[in-house]
Amino acid sequence: TLETTFYGHTYDNPFMNASGVHCMDVTELDELASSAAGSFVTKSATADGRKGNPEPRYVNLDLGSINSMGLPNLGLDYYLNYAILRQKSQPDAPFVMSVASYQGFDEYVDNMRQIQDSAYTGLVELNLSCPNVPGKPQMAYDFEDTKRLLTEIFKFYTKPFGVKLPPYFDMQHFDKIANVLNQFDLKFVNCINSIGNGLYIDETTDTVVIKPKGGFGGIGGEYVKPTALANVRALKQRLNPTIEVIGTGGILTGRDAYEHLLCGASMVQVGTQLQKEGVHVFERLTAELLAVLEEKGYQSIAEFKGKLGTL
Ligand code: DHB
């Protein structure tokens, strides 16, 4: 069995979509909910709905993807209404609501206040790592501001939430972000968002492939797996044991998911490969992960979760 426990609930399997892929509206969200995925997350919501950046703004590449979507979404009210209705009709199938900000610090706080004041009591993923807000650095690359923001939110927020992080590339940065996060009663940390601001060049036209930001965009897919695994492992080793880790980045096969679980992930999210393959990817991934367990003689994920070997 692929059963896995995350924040007190047992899911059929650890697979979810990564926020941004196949989760914009009711149709897509309902498709995820009825897919083979164990759970799902909604598109990062901003206070007001947004059209996002001009197209082309997402392109699949041989080894992954590049995007600068610009936070297109239907607005916080839309996702909150959906979440409240679904929580009421399907109380035994928890999911995650992703919340971001386009304006910065104050909008993050206001968005969380709106959720606090609503009937939704489920998990929220606070996205501190959107790389496509022009003129703004990612919140989670500013350790002081991240601490200040979480301090402000915990003054009033009493429901369970976690944070989505960008990739870090320096051992000191792993120490610093973990030190900040360990000061709060976070339920989970999700590693990683895309590797920010890559540049892909088309070899026939000698041009960039996406229109926004002169072609710079977040990189996902096969390119990012080693960075994702390092971030899952490094954060799992540093965080309070009460903070679970969601592993995201470079999951194309059951083996890739297995590696995230070895690094200590409780759930695993699929972005680029879901975009490329559609929701049926979850049937393939669950079958492949089950085959890995069988081949290795494991009965359950709990037997190997976090037990990465070292030399
Ligand atoms: C967008 C991209 C992200 O990586 C993210 O975390 C949130 C939003 C976007 O461009 O829409």
Side-chain angles (χ1 to χ4, degrees):
T1 161
L2 294 181
E3 278 185 359
T4 188
T5 302
F6 174 61
Y7 190 61
H9 181 85
T10 300
Y11 297 84
D12 288 349
N13 66 69
F15 291 101
M16 303 174 66
N17 65 306
S19 184
V21 181
H22 206 97
C23 58
M24 184 68 82
D25 58 20
V26 171
T27 304
E28 291 187 339
L29 290 164
D30 284 351
E31 279 169 12
L32 284 174
S34 53
S35 78
S39 186
F40 66 93
V41 56
T42 60
K43 171 68 186 174
S44 284
T46 50
D48 299 318
R50 295 177 39 77
K51 284 194 174 342
N53 289 333
E55 295 181 339
R57 59 192 187 180
Y58 176 100
V59 170
N60 282 323
L61 310 172
D62 283 352
L63 300 179
S65 63
I66 185 166
N67 87 82
S68 178
M69 304 298 288
L71 272 164
N73 75 96
L74 298 169
L76 182 56
D77 287 340
Y78 180 91
Y79 300 101
L80 199 47
N81 286 335
Y82 179 83
I84 290 165
L85 290 173
R86 173 168 284 283
Q87 191 176 40
K88 210 166 191 174
S89 63
Q90 307 275 343
D92 298 327
F95 57 92
V96 179
M97 229 192 108
S98 175
V99 180
S101 159
Y102 189 70
Q103 306 286 347
F105 191 98
D106 290 346
E107 186 192 332
Y108 273 120
V109 177
D110 292 345
N111 290 346
M112 291 300 273
R113 201 180 298 278
Q114 188 176 331
I115 300 171
Q116 174 64 29
D117 293 341
S118 79
Y120 180 65
T121 57
L123 284 167
V124 165
E125 175 175 290
L126 185 68
N127 184 355
L128 302 181
S129 51
C130 177
N132 299 324
V133 180
K136 306 267 185 201
Q138 295 186 30
M139 177 62 69
Y141 280 154
D142 185 329
F143 302 108
E144 278 304 310
D145 244 30
T146 296
K147 180 176 173 180
R148 198 162 65 85
L149 176 61
L150 291 173
T151 300
E152 200 57 35
I153 291 169
F154 273 100
K155 284 181 184 166
F156 62 86
Y157 202 82
T158 59
K159 300 173 185 182
F161 80 102
V163 294
K164 177 84 171 269
L165 297 177
Y168 299 96
F169 303 93
D170 188 297
M171 301 312 266
Q172 299 282 330
H173 290 173
F174 292 139
D175 292 343
K176 281 206 165 98
I177 191 67
N179 175 58
V180 169
L181 300 174
N182 279 334
Q183 295 172 44
F184 301 96
D185 183 22
L186 292 166
K187 305 308 182 193
F188 69 90
V189 162
N190 185 347
C191 307
I192 59 172
N193 207 314
S194 54
I195 296 184
N197 297 301
L199 191 61
Y200 188 86
I201 300 172
D202 183 309
E203 67 175 282
T204 63
T205 59
D206 291 351
T207 65
V208 301
V209 297
I210 57 172
K211 187 176 174 88
K213 293 166 65 178
F216 287 75
I219 305 295
E222 204 170 335
Y223 287 117
V224 314
K225 190 176 80 166
T227 296
L229 294 174
N231 277 263
V232 170
R233 174 74 165 168
L235 271 290
K236 188 68 199 171
Q237 287 176 320
R238 286 165 178 75
L239 291 171
N240 301 334
T242 53
I243 306 180
E244 298 195 69
V245 176
I246 299 178
T248 305
I251 298 178
L252 288 72
T253 67
R255 170 71 203 185
D256 298 325
Y258 177 78
E259 292 179 4
H260 271 270
L261 297 166
L262 273 182
C263 290
S266 295
M267 301 294 278
V268 294
Q269 297 185 345
V270 184
T272 297
Q273 199 58 31
L274 168 59
Q275 207 290 328
K276 289 183 175 183
E277 246 177 273
V279 293
H280 290 294
V281 73
F282 294 113
E283 292 156 33
R284 177 175 68 78
L285 290 173
T286 50
E288 288 178 3
L289 179 56
L290 207 48
V292 174
L293 266 67
E294 270 162 26
E295 181 195 310
K296 292 180 181 286
Y298 291 125
Q299 310 293 315
S300 74
I301 289 173
E303 289 168 35
F304 62 87
K305 182 176 149 186
K307 297 190 178 152
L308 176 64
T310 56
L311 303 183

